[in-house]
Amino acid sequence: MSVSTIAGPGSSTASFSVRIDQARLGRYTRAAARWTRLLLPRTPRPGLRVFYGHDRVPGPGEAVAGGSAKFQRLAERFPNHPTDFTLLYLGSTWLPRDLRALLLVARRRRVPVVVNQSGVAYPGWAGTSTKAINREFRRTLRAADHIVYQSEFCKRSADEFLGEPSGSWEVLYNAVDVDHFTPAASAPPDGPVLVLGGDQTQAYRFELALRTLAELVRVQPDSRLLVLGRLVSSPEPLIAELGLRGNVELLGRYTQREAPALFRRAHLLLHTKVNDPCPSSVIEAMACGLPVVYPASGGTVELVGGEGGLGVPHPNGWERDEPPSPEALAEAATRVLADLSRFRAAARRRAVERFALPPWLDRHGELFAGLVNR
């Protein structure tokens, strides 16, 4: 597990570039070999064989990001078959580079296409790239025989920006292994400790977390923030400006195996992203007994409900991302911490009852069998 997301003075950017180039070369080599096999004449074999659009799905214990986490879980039950597949399963947050060609192959082979649809691009975060990003999403949805929307919010936003589906669809929330993501025997004795999960790919998310922490430190000087995932800019200037040195711990990227131990170090999850479609980190934290304080928008509202934490109202629209104020988030965190035992139990119960992994996998099995055998 990395202890920092910022390279130190002695780090070698040259060796990092070599590793990136080697990884890219490996991807290209695997893709070329796959397309050679795909274009060869073949006699179809019966049975279910799923392809996730990528030659390699991260294995158990490897670090994942964004939409690849769910495919890591799926591939353990439904292994990845890049060439002789009988079903193509694509994720909107993990689309392959050769998407158009794959969709053409699937159509020619009469292979059913399933799309796991997360969020969409909208001006508030995508700016002038909104139309270009949504063009790929729209192409994928139009090719789908069945669409799995990750939340009701995902369905509504996709309908607005991409159009309503022509095929069948359902809402199926993300899921986690609630036997792996389990609570600590008791809350940490020091703190309070907040954790910021996922990757901080939008600068406002990390900045808002730091400013929320600064509000808490005014009242409780021992308040701390654990920051998970990668950052898009150096955190040091703002940490210094807010006087938070010693109150912030940067833990970097992490694997699913490491995640429960990290969550157990905290009292609650501070989730600062607005309009988040269906964040798995929220479910993982709840399964570990962490209530969630978050902007009351997106699919997060559906995940947390009325008992798994507190949502904070904020101006909500597509043109601008306007999260709650740090003061409002700090106040919500204080309210949760004042009734922590009840919130901890409710968060864990909600995760187990609604977002456990086995029913999610079983539903995929039913869906896959129905499409392949029709």
Side-chain angles (χ1 to χ4, degrees):
M1 181 177 61
S2 171
V3 296
S4 177
T5 57
I6 306 301
S11 65
S12 171
T13 55
S15 63
F16 179 75
S17 298
V18 169
R19 290 197 299 272
I20 292 295
D21 289 342
Q22 289 175 338
R24 184 181 295 116
L25 177 61
R27 289 197 301 270
Y28 290 161
T29 301
R30 289 192 296 269
R34 168 166 55 86
W35 276 105
T36 300
R37 294 193 297 272
L38 277 173
L39 296 175
L40 291 173
R42 58 184 290 278
T43 301
R45 296 185 296 114
L48 171 64
R49 292 179 299 281
V50 182
F51 180 38
Y52 301 102
H54 297 266
D55 296 288
R56 186 176 180 278
V57 177
E62 293 185 57
V64 291
S68 58
K70 65 179 64 64
F71 295 97
Q72 185 183 54
R73 299 178 185 118
L74 278 169
E76 291 190 62
R77 181 177 292 193
F78 309 103
N80 194 33
H81 290 268
T83 56
D84 62 340
F85 56 92
T86 57
L87 185 140
L88 181 61
Y89 192 107
L90 300 172
S92 62
T93 53
W94 201 43
L95 291 175
R97 295 178 183 272
D98 50 4
L99 172 66
R100 298 187 191 186
L102 278 177
L103 292 176
L104 180 60
V105 168
R107 183 163 65 247
R108 287 180 174 176
R109 290 185 176 184
R110 297 183 179 178
V111 167
V113 177
V114 178
V115 174
N116 189 292
Q117 179 63 35
S118 182
V120 298
Y122 62 91
W125 73 264
T128 58
S129 300
T130 297
K131 290 184 178 179
I133 296 172
N134 283 337
R135 191 178 301 121
E136 291 296 283
F137 290 165
R138 189 177 298 110
R139 176 180 290 111
T140 310
L141 287 192
R142 287 177 176 173
D145 295 276
H146 188 84
I147 302 171
V148 175
Y149 295 101
Q150 294 180 20
S151 64
E152 297 284 353
F153 170 79
C154 290
K155 174 66 167 61
R156 293 193 304 272
S157 57
D159 285 353
E160 180 165 348
F161 284 90
L162 310 177
E164 296 189 12
S166 56
S168 58
W169 61 274
E170 65 186 283
V171 172
L172 185 64
Y173 296 101
N174 291 336
V176 303
D177 183 350
V178 296
D179 293 324
H180 176 61
F181 287 89
T182 57
S186 59
D190 57 342
V193 183
L194 284 61
V195 61
L196 182 69
D199 281 327
Q200 314 312 318
T201 53
Q202 294 164 289
Y204 82 84
R205 295 162 58 181
F206 178 64
E207 178 179 346
L208 179 57
L210 287 182
R211 294 190 183 279
T212 301
L213 174 66
E215 293 298 321
L216 290 173
V217 167
R218 295 176 193 275
V219 181
Q220 301 183 75
D222 291 335
S223 299
R224 292 188 292 120
L225 177 69
L226 309 179
V227 181
L228 308 183
R230 59 189 177 90
L231 303 175
V232 295
S233 60
S234 173
E236 295 303 331
L238 186 56
I239 291 175
E241 175 190 330
L242 296 174
L244 294 177
R245 286 196 177 121
N247 297 88
V248 180
E249 188 173 352
L250 305 176
L251 297 172
R253 297 192 69 188
Y254 57 97
T255 68
Q256 291 285 287
R257 288 178 179 170
E258 297 167 325
L262 298 176
F263 284 126
R264 292 180 195 128
R265 293 179 57 189
H267 296 90
L268 62 83
L269 176 74
L270 178 62
H271 188 72
T272 54
K273 183 178 180 180
V274 304
N275 288 328
D276 207 346
C278 185
S280 291
S281 61
V282 165
I283 307 173
E284 293 166 357
M286 289 170 59
C288 291
L290 268 65
V292 185
V293 171
Y294 64 98
S297 60
T300 312
V301 179
E302 301 168 48
L303 300 181
V304 180
E307 65 270 22
L310 288 179
V312 180
H314 64 98
N316 191 14
W318 299 119
E319 295 304 316
R320 293 179 58 194
D321 280 343
E322 299 183 73
S325 68
E327 294 82 3
L329 286 171
E331 180 183 356
T334 301
R335 290 169 57 193
V336 169
L337 292 167
D339 197 7
L340 188 59
S341 295
R342 180 177 66 85
F343 276 109
R344 278 172 54 88
R348 169 65 181 178
R349 182 171 59 250
R350 186 172 178 86
V352 170
E353 292 176 353
R354 294 172 179 261
F355 309 116
L357 187 59
W360 185 82
L361 291 172
D362 291 345
R363 173 55 195 148
H364 277 88
E366 295 169 358
L367 173 61
F368 294 166
L371 289 169
V372 169
N373 297 328
R374 66 181 179 181

